[in-house]
Amino acid sequence: MATTSTLSNIQLELLRVYSRHVSDEDMVAIQKMLATYFSEKAIHLADEVWDKNGWKAEDTGAFLKEHNRKSKAS
């Protein structure tokens, strides 16, 4: 049975750009750049939610004390 998998647009782009061997040093640098990009994007989105809700620094203490886990059914 044949299995098909579809590559994402970023995977295809990276395959095109890096169709040649890159050094381990370059690979680490690229991984760091990607991690930085996605972490900054997540922070920006979190900041938007924070601002939209009008939360203040004082609210962080309340967030830390919240218990949001659901108990397992016995």
Side-chain angles (χ1 to χ4, degrees), residues 67-74:
H67 178 71
N68 295 314
R69 286 185 284 165
K70 295 182 180 180
S71 61
K72 293 182 181 181
S74 301

Side-chain angles (χ1 to χ4, degrees), residues 3-74:
T3 307
T4 60
S5 65
T6 304
L7 298 175
S8 70
N9 60 344
I10 188 69
Q11 289 170 319
L12 291 170
E13 183 63 23
L14 289 171
L15 285 172
R16 279 192 291 272
V17 171
Y18 296 106
S19 60
R20 61 180 177 78
H21 180 78
V22 293
S23 69
D24 290 342
E25 181 181 313
D26 286 343
M27 182 59 69
V28 170
I30 292 164
Q31 289 170 334
K32 286 181 181 179
M33 287 188 323
L34 289 170
T36 299
Y37 169 79
F38 285 111
S39 65
E40 288 175 357
K41 186 174 180 178
I43 290 168
H44 176 73
L45 291 171
D47 287 344
E48 285 180 1
V49 170
W50 188 270
D51 293 341
K52 178 183 173 188
N53 288 300
W55 292 330
K56 305 289 181 220
E58 299 81 32
D59 297 321
T60 57
F63 295 149
L64 293 173
K65 293 177 184 174
E66 283 185 8
H67 178 71
N68 295 314
R69 286 185 284 165
K70 295 182 180 180
S71 61
K72 293 182 181 181
S74 301

